[in-house]
C-alpha cells in the first residue's frame, strides 16, 4: 500500500494537487514570477498571476506550460517543487508515489520532460506514473470507464482540448488539439485589437470570457466596460463590449473544438457510437463552463451533452480515485505499472 500518494494535474492554466486521504489540497494558477537579475523565483501560483502585466522589468511572470506541455523546464520544476512542498508540508517527497497527467497527444519527448520535471522536483524515478488526461477526466466525472459500454469525454482545459471515447479501461478513439481556454483568450484579444484598435491584456480577456462570454445566443445578453491602450494614439481608453461580440471572437477556436469532436465520432466503432447516442457526451475542464457551449455542441453533433458536476476538478478527482483503488485502473496507466 502507499505511504504518501499524490496526484498532480499539471495544467496550462491551473495546477491541482490531490493528496490521498485528504482530497484536493492545492489549487493554484500555473504561473511563476522570476527575478531576471538573479534568476530566482519570487512568487508562485496566485501571487504570481496577480502581477501579470504589472511587473517592473526585473520581474517577469512566466507560464511554464504551453499547449498542455512543459515549455520552460527549469521554471516548471521550480513550480512543482513549491506546490509539492505545500502539499506535503515538509515531509520527505521521495517517499511519495506520484501520478501526473499529460495530454493524450503528447510526444515521447514531452512525456519524458514531465517525468524528469517530477524527478528533479524530488520524486524517485520509480515512483512516477503517467496517465492521459481524458482518461483521468472520465474517471473523475464518474463515467463507467471499465465497462464494455462506450463513454465519451471532452476535456477543455487551458492549453489543450482532449476528446476521447473510452471502453474497457482504455481509449478507443481520441483527438488532442492545442486549442482551449488560452486560445479563447487570444481570440478575444485579437478581435478587440482588430475591431477597436485597442490593446488589452490576458487578464482582461479572461475576465470578459468569464463574465459575458458565450458560445451560443442566450436570453440574458450582457455587456461590460473594458480598459486598454489605444494603438493609434497610445492613450488609455474605455469601450463597451457585449456578449455577441465575444461570441463572434470565439467562432474560430470553438469550431476547431467541434471539428475534433466530429473527427473522434467518425473513428468510433458502430457499437460504441450507439452507446454514445444513448449516454451522451460529457464535458469537463474549466472551459466547459463557457455559457452555451453544451448547446453549441448539441446543435453541431446531435448528441445529448452533459457538463460534469465539478468540471474544474475532474482530472484531479480521477487521479484520486486511481490512487484509492490502483488495481481497478491499471489499464488506464500508461507507464511503470510494474513498480506498484
Amino acid at each position: 500500500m502507499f505511504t504518501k500518494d499524490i496526484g498532480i494535474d499539471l495544467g496550462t492554466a491551473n495546477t491541482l494537487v490531490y493528496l490521498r486521504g485528504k482530497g484536493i489540497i492545492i489549487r493554484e494558477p500555473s504561473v511563476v514570477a522570476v527575478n531576471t537579475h538573479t534568476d530566482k523565483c519570487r512568487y508562485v501560483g496566485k501571487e504570481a498571476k496577480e502581477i501579470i502585466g504589472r511587473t517592473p522589468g526585473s520581474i517577469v511572470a512566466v507560464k511554464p506550460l504551453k499547449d498542455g506541455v512543459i515549455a520552460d523546464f527549469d521554471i516548471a520544476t521550480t513550480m512543482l517543487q513549491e506546490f509539492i512542498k505545500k502539499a506535503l508540508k515538509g515531509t520527505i517527497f521521495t517517499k511519495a508515489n506520484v501520478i501526473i497527467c499529460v495530454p493524450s497527444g503528447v510526444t515521447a519527448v514531452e512525456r519524458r520532460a514531465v517525468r524528469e520535471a517530477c524527478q528533479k522536483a524530488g520524486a524517485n524515478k520509480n515512483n512516477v506514473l503517467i496517465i492521459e488526461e481524458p482518461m483521468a477526466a472520465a474517471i473523475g466525472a464518474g463515467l463507467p470507464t471499465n465497462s464494455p459500454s462506450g463513454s465519451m469525454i471532452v476535456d477543455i482545459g487551458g492549453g489543450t482540448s482532449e476528446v476521447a471515447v473510452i471502453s474497457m479501461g482504455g481509449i478507443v478513439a481520441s483527438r488532442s488539439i492545442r486549442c482551449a481556454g488560452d486560445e479563447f483568450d487570444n481570440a478575444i484579444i485579437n478581435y478587440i485589437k482588430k475591431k477597436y484598435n485597442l490593446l488589452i491584456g490576458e487578464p482582461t480577456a479572461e475576465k470578459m470570457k468569464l463574465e459575458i462570454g458565450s458560445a451560443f445566443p442566450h436570453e440574458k445578453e450582457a455587456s461590460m466596460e473594458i480598459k486598454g491602450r489605444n494603438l493609434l494614439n497610445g492613450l488609455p481608453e474605455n469601450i463597451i463590449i457585449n456578449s455577441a461580440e465575444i461570441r463572434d471572437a470565439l467562432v474560430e477556436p470553438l469550431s476547431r473544438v467541434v471539428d475534433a469532436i466530429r473527427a473522434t465520432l467518425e473513428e468510433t466503432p458502430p457499437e460504441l457510437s450507439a452507446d454514445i447516442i444513448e449516454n451522451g457526451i460529457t464535458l469537463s475542464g474549466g472551459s466547459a463552463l463557457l455559457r452555451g457551449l453544451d448547446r453549441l455542441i448539441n446543435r453541431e453533433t446531435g448528441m445529448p451533452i452533459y457538463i460534469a458536476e465539478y468540471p474544474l476538478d475532474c482530472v484531479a478527482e480521477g487521479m484520486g480515485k486511481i490512487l484509492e483503488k490502483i488495481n481497478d485502473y491499471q489499464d488506464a496507466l500508461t507507464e511503470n505499472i510494474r513498480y506498484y
Side-chain angles (χ1 to χ4, degrees), residues 127-178:
N127 288 356
V128 180
L129 276 173
I130 292 177
I131 184 172
E132 293 181 337
E133 281 181 18
M135 178 61 77
I139 294 169
L143 300 182
T145 55
N146 284 331
S147 78
S149 174
S151 301
M152 189 168 191
I153 185 80
V154 179
D155 182 50
I156 311 173
T160 61
S161 293
E162 309 283 330
V163 186
V165 175
I166 296 168
S167 178
M168 297 293 291
I171 295 176
V172 179
S174 67
R175 278 284 190 282
S176 177
I177 59 168
R178 298 186 175 186

Side-chain angles (χ1 to χ4, degrees), residues 232-280:
L232 298 179
N233 57 29
L235 299 176
E237 184 179 325
N238 297 354
I239 60 171
I240 303 294
I241 298 293
N242 60 48
S243 297
E245 291 177 291
I246 302 300
R247 202 156 48 245
D248 289 343
L250 296 177
V251 166
E252 194 276 332
L254 286 174
S255 67
R256 290 173 60 189
V257 174
V258 171
D259 288 345
I261 295 171
R262 283 177 174 158
T264 306
L265 287 168
E266 288 172 4
E267 293 180 1
T268 303
E271 292 300 319
L272 296 182
S273 294
D275 294 334
I276 294 169
I277 291 172
E278 183 177 343
N279 301 327

Side-chain angles (χ1 to χ4, degrees), residues 31-324:
V31 185
V32 179
V34 179
N35 187 316
T36 56
H37 293 164
T38 62
D39 287 332
K40 289 186 177 180
C41 168
R42 286 286 302 272
Y43 308 104
V44 175
K46 292 177 184 176
E47 291 179 331
K49 184 176 182 178
E50 288 172 358
I51 64 171
I52 290 178
R54 301 173 181 272
T55 59
S58 59
I59 298 176
V60 179
V62 179
K63 292 183 177 181
L65 285 97
K66 182 175 175 59
D67 299 332
V69 297
I70 293 175
D72 190 313
F73 183 84
D74 292 334
I75 293 179
T77 301
T78 299
M79 184 178 74
L80 273 175
Q81 286 174 332
E82 291 299 318
F83 289 156
I84 291 166
K85 194 184 298 181
K86 283 184 183 180
L88 299 182
K89 294 182 180 177
T91 56
I92 301 174
F93 181 36
T94 51
K95 290 183 180 179
N97 299 299
V98 180
I99 293 180
I100 192 164
C101 280
V102 295
S104 59
V106 300
T107 64
V109 173
E110 291 166 340
R111 190 185 297 270
R112 195 177 304 119
V114 172
R115 173 181 297 283
E116 289 176 358
C118 277
Q119 292 170 3
K120 195 171 179 183
N124 186 294
K125 66 178 181 179
N126 294 346
N127 288 356
V128 180
L129 276 173
I130 292 177
I131 184 172
E132 293 181 337
E133 281 181 18
M135 178 61 77
I139 294 169
L143 300 182
T145 55
N146 284 331
S147 78
S149 174
S151 301
M152 189 168 191
I153 185 80
V154 179
D155 182 50
I156 311 173
T160 61
S161 293
E162 309 283 330
V163 186
V165 175
I166 296 168
S167 178
M168 297 293 291
I171 295 176
V172 179
S174 67
R175 278 284 190 282
S176 177
I177 59 168
R178 298 186 175 186
C179 175
D182 287 351
E183 198 67 25
F184 298 169
D185 295 343
N186 290 332
I188 293 171
I189 291 171
N190 292 332
Y191 179 89
I192 300 299
K193 182 178 179 182
K194 184 176 180 180
K195 185 172 181 179
Y196 294 101
N197 287 311
L198 192 74
L199 186 62
I200 61 172
E202 289 181 18
T204 301
E206 184 179 20
K207 184 178 180 182
M208 292 165 65
K209 179 182 69 178
L210 295 175
E211 293 189 9
I212 65 170
S214 65
F216 200 85
H218 58 98
E219 295 178 359
K220 296 182 180 179
E221 297 284 315
S223 62
M224 68 178 290
E225 183 182 65
I226 62 168
K227 301 175 178 65
R229 175 165 56 86
N230 189 300
L231 292 171
L232 298 179
N233 57 29
L235 299 176
E237 184 179 325
N238 297 354
I239 60 171
I240 303 294
I241 298 293
N242 60 48
S243 297
E245 291 177 291
I246 302 300
R247 202 156 48 245
D248 289 343
L250 296 177
V251 166
E252 194 276 332
L254 286 174
S255 67
R256 290 173 60 189
V257 174
V258 171
D259 288 345
I261 295 171
R262 283 177 174 158
T264 306
L265 287 168
E266 288 172 4
E267 293 180 1
T268 303
E271 292 300 319
L272 296 182
S273 294
D275 294 334
I276 294 169
I277 291 172
E278 183 177 343
N279 301 327
I281 299 172
T282 300
L283 304 184
S284 67
S287 297
L289 295 172
L290 180 67
R291 292 178 192 84
L293 182 57
D294 53 342
R295 295 176 64 190
L296 173 68
I297 297 174
N298 171 261
R299 186 190 69 183
E300 298 295 328
T301 64
M303 301 290 151
I305 308 297
Y306 305 99
I307 299 175
E309 187 175 2
Y310 301 106
L312 282 164
D313 299 346
C314 281
V315 173
E317 290 291 349
M319 289 187 293
K321 290 180 180 180
I322 293 171
L323 287 170
E324 300 292 344

